């Protein structure tokens, strides 16, 4: 069983008069098999929350634990390995390497993980996301929504325990958004993953197992 | 190096441009070092062929052979295993009108220098006004058996053999016997050359021992010429370093957001740095190889008056030099890669 725990996490940017509290005393726990939605207005601290969860930033106070080990106690190398093997990031932009075709984006992961799953697994994922005909295309030949879906497929491709997605549906129409969220929810439920999706798309609220809201750096469960 | 290769193949234009730049500068470097070596050889080739280690000259001569005159006593008090050199610069003509500026060098046929001389054709004979001459004469149309008429003199030197790499201060050498040179310069001994370095106690007052390498440095114009070349070559290295740095810097800045995301996705900084170094290495190797090939072709097609010598050591030094410069040029981009914070890109 995987889990992700925030223990009294506070994140402060800047010092003195420019000091800004982006996250304030957050306690949060996610367990395998859950799709968790984090909503909130712009600038409320959602991305900050997600990057701390993925170990891209360290909290000013408090601890973040992944599978019961504190992230900040891991070496740089261990953190890189953790991100490669356990975490799938889907970001707001720049997810895809511009000079690699869709197919090669997956091959890169194979090279890095010294594995070779490409053919079968990639086809499965891409057909689930309706992307099969895009294999030979470069990112600049894709629409915003297609790019976003390839990014999701790429994050899923490493079969991570955690998927951290920042506005993964921002570029998608309602139909596609629902499909993507359903795919993520199925993954959480059937494959026992922890999936955290940051969004301001309130239409997605009902699909999640839990919904948290962040306002001015404070987090509360609303559903 | 999947990432590195894919990027270069996808961005062919950009990377071809850098390769072209590296090629141009390397080509220039190879030609310049070739000229530097060629001109240096013209000055000193004959001395190198002597295979000696020291030379004794008059103390007041500042190391210049032409200005050095040794007295009979001085020569007599030096060890007798040295080769006495008597020189005279002049113009010679053949009977059918070929002309050549030349260095006449008088030495004994039993001296170690003469014994060392290699012959490309003819025989090694300097008796009775015969001469062994630089093969430059051969390429200029002179033949074995031709007579060289020495300007302002009735002396006629018969060519008996050609010897390779015999130029001194950019002039082809004519080796003759002391008797033959006697009427031209009164048989003066300008210097005595030794196979081994002499102990200081054996050097008579009024004379000065120089190692062959410092003697070469004092050849008229030699050091000034080589310094000029060294200066140009050093500048080219600096230019290539700056050009490569700027190019890689711009390329890296453009893809920084992607590199940040790759880091977030668990690609190690080390992998990204190695990618950049690999690219830098590949582009410089390609540029250098094209430059070497074209340099060789140029050297072959240039008229033989252009003293260009592209030898293996030049090519190796230039090649390694350029590759090192391009790896150094990758240092600034590497710093950027190391510094890029995935969060900064995502948070934006
Ligand atoms: N490096 C930083 N230095 C100072 N302040 C920062 C920094 N990063 C974020 N902030 C501030 O922290 C707050 C939360 O930022 P965050 O990116 O988490 O918002 P968000 O909820 O993701 O917003 P959006 O929906 O617009 O993406 C913002 O007010 C932002 O200005
Ligand atoms: Mg955000």
């Amino acid at each position: 069983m995987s889990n992700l725990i925030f223990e009294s996490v506070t994140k402060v940017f800047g010092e003195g008069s420019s000091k800004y509290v982006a996250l304030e005393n957050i306690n949060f726990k996610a367990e395998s098999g859950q799709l968790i939605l984090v909503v909130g207005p712009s600038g409320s601290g959602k991305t900050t929350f997600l990057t701390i969860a993925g170990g891209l930033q360290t909290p000013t106070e408090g601890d973040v634990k992944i599978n019961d080990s504190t992230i900040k106690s891991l070496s740089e190398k261990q953190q890189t390995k953790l991100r490669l093997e356990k975490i799938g990031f889907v970001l707001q932009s720049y997810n895809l390497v511009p000079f690699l075709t869709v197919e090669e984006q997956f091959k890169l992961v194979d090279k890095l993980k010294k594995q070779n799953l490409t053919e079968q697994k990639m086809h499965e994922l891409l057909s689930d996301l309706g992307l099969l005909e895009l294999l030979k295309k470069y990112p600049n030949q894709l629409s915003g929504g297609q790019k976003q879906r390839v990014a999701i497929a790429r994050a899923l491709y490493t079969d991570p325990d955690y998927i951290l997605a920042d506005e993964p549906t921002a570029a998608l129409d309602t139909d596609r958004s629902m499909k993507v969220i359903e795919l993520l929810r199925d993954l959480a439920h059937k494959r026992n993953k922890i999936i955290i999706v940051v969004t301001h798309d309130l239409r997605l609220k009902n699909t999640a197992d839990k919904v948290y809201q962040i306002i001015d750096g404070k987090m509360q469960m609303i559903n | 190096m999947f990432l590195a290769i894919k990027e270069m193949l996808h961005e062919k234009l950009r990377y071809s441009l850098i390769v072209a730049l590296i090629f141009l500068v390397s080509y220039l470097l190879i030609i310049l070092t070739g000229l530097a070596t060629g001109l240096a050889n013209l000055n000193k080739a004959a001395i190198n062929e002597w295979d000696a280690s020291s030379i004794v000259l008059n103390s007041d001569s500042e190391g210049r052979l032409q200005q050095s005159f040794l007295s009979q006593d001085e020569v007599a008090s030096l060890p007798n295993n040295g080769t006495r050199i008597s020189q005279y610069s002049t113009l010679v003509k053949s009977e059918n009108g070929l002309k050549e500026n030349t260095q006449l060098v008088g030495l004994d046929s039993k001296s170690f220098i003469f014994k060392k001389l290699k012959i490309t054709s003819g025989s090694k004979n300097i008796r009775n006004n015969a001469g062994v001459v630089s093969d430059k004469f051969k390429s200029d149309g002179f033949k074995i058996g031709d007579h060289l008429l020495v300007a302002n003199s009735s002396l006629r030197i018969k060519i008996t053999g050609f010897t390779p790499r015999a130029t001194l201060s950019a002039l082809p050498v004519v080796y003759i016997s002391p008797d033959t040179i006697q009427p031209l310069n009164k048989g003066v001994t300008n210097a005595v050359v030794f196979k081994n370095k002499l102990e200081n106690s054996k050097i008579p007052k009024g004379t000065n021992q120089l190692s062959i390498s410092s003697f070469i440095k004092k050849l008229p114009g030699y050091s000034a010429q080589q310094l000029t070349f060294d200066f140009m070559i050093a500048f080219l290295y600096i230019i290539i370093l700056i050009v490569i740095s700027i190019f890689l810097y711009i390329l890296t800045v453009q893809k920084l957001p992607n590199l940040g995301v790759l880091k977030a996705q668990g690609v190690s900084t080390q992998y990204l740095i190695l990618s950049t170094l690999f690219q830098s290495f590949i582009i410089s190797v390609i540029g250098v190889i094209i430059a070497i090939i074209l340099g060789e072709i140029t050297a072959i097609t240039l008229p033989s008056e252009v003293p260009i010598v592209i030898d293996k050591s030049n090519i190796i030094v230039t090649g390694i030099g350029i590759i090192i410069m391009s790896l150094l040029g990758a240092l600034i981009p590497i710093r950027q890669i190391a510094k890029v914070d995935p969060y900064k890109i995502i948070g934006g």
Side-chain angles (χ1 to χ4, degrees):
Chain A
M1 280 296 261
S2 337
N3 57 49
L4 171 70
I5 300 170
F6 275 54
E7 285 175 352
S8 326
V9 167
T10 294
K11 180 71 185 177
V12 180
F13 290 113
E15 276 173 58
S17 58
S18 65
K19 182 169 150 176
Y20 185 85
V21 182
L23 292 178
E24 199 179 329
N25 193 28
I26 291 191
N27 289 291
F28 167 88
K29 182 167 185 188
E31 281 176 345
S32 306
Q34 291 181 335
L35 171 66
I36 296 170
L37 232 51
V38 176
V39 296
S42 180
S44 57
K46 302 184 298 293
T47 299
T48 308
F49 171 77
L50 203 68
T51 49
I52 289 179
L56 295 178
Q57 289 198 91
T58 44
T60 316
E61 280 167 43
D63 279 328
V64 178
K65 290 182 178 166
I66 280 191
N67 297 350
D68 297 322
S69 62
T70 311
I71 297 185
K72 70 180 175 201
S73 69
L74 300 175
S75 70
E76 182 86 22
K77 219 173 157 188
Q78 288 169 317
Q79 286 191 26
T80 302
K81 193 165 178 278
L82 179 81
R83 287 204 291 273
L84 180 63
E85 291 177 352
K86 296 273 192 290
I87 301 176
F89 267 109
V90 182
L91 307 168
Q92 278 174 297
S93 51
Y94 300 113
N95 282 295
L96 305 177
V97 183
F99 48 82
L100 296 182
T101 62
V102 169
E103 190 173 18
E104 287 162 354
Q105 312 272 345
F106 295 90
K107 286 210 177 113
L108 175 64
V109 179
D110 279 345
K111 302 266 178 210
L112 292 167
K113 287 191 76 176
K114 303 189 172 64
Q115 62 181 17
N116 197 359
L117 312 171
T118 316
E119 295 306 319
Q120 196 197 348
K121 196 152 171 217
M122 189 172 64
H123 277 84
E124 220 176 275
L125 266 172
L126 292 180
S127 69
D128 281 354
L129 286 159
L131 296 169
L132 263 185
E133 65 280 16
L134 306 178
L135 275 182
K136 301 284 175 215
K137 292 203 167 168
Y138 286 96
N140 65 2
Q141 299 169 319
L142 303 177
S143 74
Q146 288 170 332
K147 267 187 244 183
Q148 203 60 278
R149 280 181 284 151
V150 173
I152 292 168
R154 190 223 168 273
L156 296 177
Y157 182 63
T158 56
D159 198 19
D161 295 340
Y162 306 86
I163 290 170
L164 307 176
D166 200 350
E167 307 273 6
T169 58
L172 303 180
D173 54 46
T174 313
D175 237 30
R176 289 277 191 206
S177 300
M178 288 312 276
K179 275 216 175 96
V180 164
I181 287 294
E182 276 161 19
L183 177 84
L184 292 174
R185 190 181 56 196
D186 281 357
L187 273 167
H189 291 174
K190 292 184 191 144
R191 313 273 293 275
N192 239 349
K193 299 191 183 301
I194 296 180
I195 301 187
I196 302 177
V197 175
V198 161
T199 181
H200 55 238
D201 189 349
L202 292 171
R203 291 167 303 179
L204 304 175
K205 245 157 81 173
N206 300 327
T207 57
D209 298 306
K210 283 185 187 169
V211 180
Y212 288 85
Q213 186 171 42
I214 300 186
I215 293 176
D216 288 340
K218 295 188 195 71
M219 190 179 205
Q220 73 184 144
M221 187 148 86
I222 57 170
N223 193 345
Chain B
M1 294 285 90
F2 179 75
L3 206 56
I5 293 170
K6 286 289 172 191
E7 180 179 14
M8 289 195 282
L9 291 178
H10 191 247
E11 305 285 356
K12 284 192 198 71
L13 180 66
R14 290 176 188 194
Y15 284 92
S16 316
L17 271 175
I18 318 184
V19 168
L21 264 169
I22 293 176
F23 151 68
L24 285 174
V25 177
S26 313
Y27 176 72
L28 205 54
L29 267 173
I30 287 172
I31 297 296
L32 274 180
T33 39
L35 280 174
T37 313
L39 283 169
N41 281 348
L42 275 186
N43 275 300
K44 67 181 182 189
I47 302 172
N48 282 344
E49 290 299 304
W50 297 351
D51 195 18
S53 48
S54 82
I55 182 166
V56 173
L57 299 136
N58 185 302
S59 307
D60 296 330
S61 66
E62 296 292 331
R64 299 277 168 91
L65 188 65
Q66 302 200 8
Q67 288 151 29
S68 166
F69 303 100
L70 299 178
S71 70
Q72 300 259 314
D73 289 347
E74 284 163 348
V75 173
S77 58
L78 280 164
N80 57 11
N81 60 353
T83 300
R84 296 166 191 184
I85 299 284
S86 175
Q87 78 87 40
Y88 186 73
S89 322
T90 186
L91 177 83
V92 296
K93 284 187 215 160
S94 75
E95 274 150 341
N96 45 17
L98 295 170
K99 283 182 202 167
E100 198 87 55
N101 271 307
T102 175
Q103 300 270 17
L104 302 184
V105 172
L107 40 61
D108 197 284
S109 58
K110 290 187 204 69
S111 65
F112 79 89
I113 291 181
F114 189 72
K115 284 182 188 155
K116 260 249 142 62
L117 282 187
K118 295 180 194 77
I119 293 288
T120 50
S121 59
S123 63
K124 219 161 90 172
N125 171 15
I126 52 172
R127 271 166 297 164
N128 308 327
N129 291 353
V132 170
V133 308
S134 161
D135 54 12
K136 170 94 176 14
F137 282 92
K138 183 158 69 178
S139 51
D140 287 347
F142 292 83
K143 296 197 177 53
I144 304 272
D146 280 0
H147 283 89
L148 302 176
L149 315 177
V150 177
N152 305 318
S153 149
S154 57
L155 182 60
R156 290 158 56 94
I157 301 168
K158 186 177 168 196
I159 299 178
T160 53
F162 291 110
T163 180
R165 296 176 291 279
T167 52
L168 180 58
S169 289
L171 296 177
V173 173
V174 172
Y175 289 106
I176 47 182
S177 71
D179 291 342
T180 311
I181 206 166
Q182 154 80 30
L184 297 172
N185 67 359
K186 306 194 184 79
V188 62
T189 301
N190 298 91
V192 184
V193 176
F194 290 93
K195 193 146 186 51
N196 301 305
K197 216 166 148 28
L198 298 184
E199 281 165 42
N200 282 336
S201 61
K202 293 199 172 136
I203 298 171
K205 238 179 122 209
T207 69
N208 194 3
Q209 177 176 231
L210 283 179
S211 68
I212 286 296
S213 57
S214 43
F215 172 63
I216 288 173
K217 285 202 192 92
K218 292 188 173 182
L219 288 174
Y222 180 84
S223 291
Q225 193 182 70
Q226 292 302 308
L227 260 173
T228 310
F229 275 110
D230 291 349
F231 195 67
M232 287 195 280
I233 289 166
F235 253 91
L236 279 178
Y237 276 113
I238 295 172
I239 289 172
I240 193 84
L241 177 61
I242 293 173
V243 165
I244 294 175
S245 295
I246 292 175
F247 239 113
L248 291 178
Y249 175 81
I250 294 171
L251 287 184
T252 309
V253 166
Q254 285 176 342
K255 61 186 183 193
L256 226 40
N258 299 102
L259 295 177
V261 171
L262 282 173
K263 277 191 181 182
Q265 289 169 340
V267 179
S268 66
T269 304
Q270 192 192 351
Y271 180 87
L272 299 174
I273 287 176
L274 282 178
S275 260
T276 303
L277 280 177
F278 177 78
Q279 289 179 333
S280 198
F281 179 77
I282 292 291
I283 53 178
S284 56
V285 167
I286 297 175
V288 163
I289 288 177
I290 303 176
I292 290 172
I293 295 171
L294 253 89
E296 295 277 11
I297 294 174
T298 310
I300 294 167
T301 44
L302 277 177
S304 61
E305 280 77 43
V306 184
I308 187 165
V309 175
I310 297 182
D311 57 22
K312 268 206 196 79
S313 62
N314 277 348
I315 286 178
I316 292 170
V317 169
T318 310
I320 293 177
I322 295 279
I323 291 168
I324 290 176
M325 286 301 134
S326 64
L327 293 181
L328 284 180
L331 285 183
I332 296 174
I334 282 175
R335 229 174 83 87
Q336 291 176 294
I337 295 173
K339 272 190 354 195
V340 62
D341 181 354
Y343 166 71
K344 291 271 161 55
I345 283 130
I346 296 154

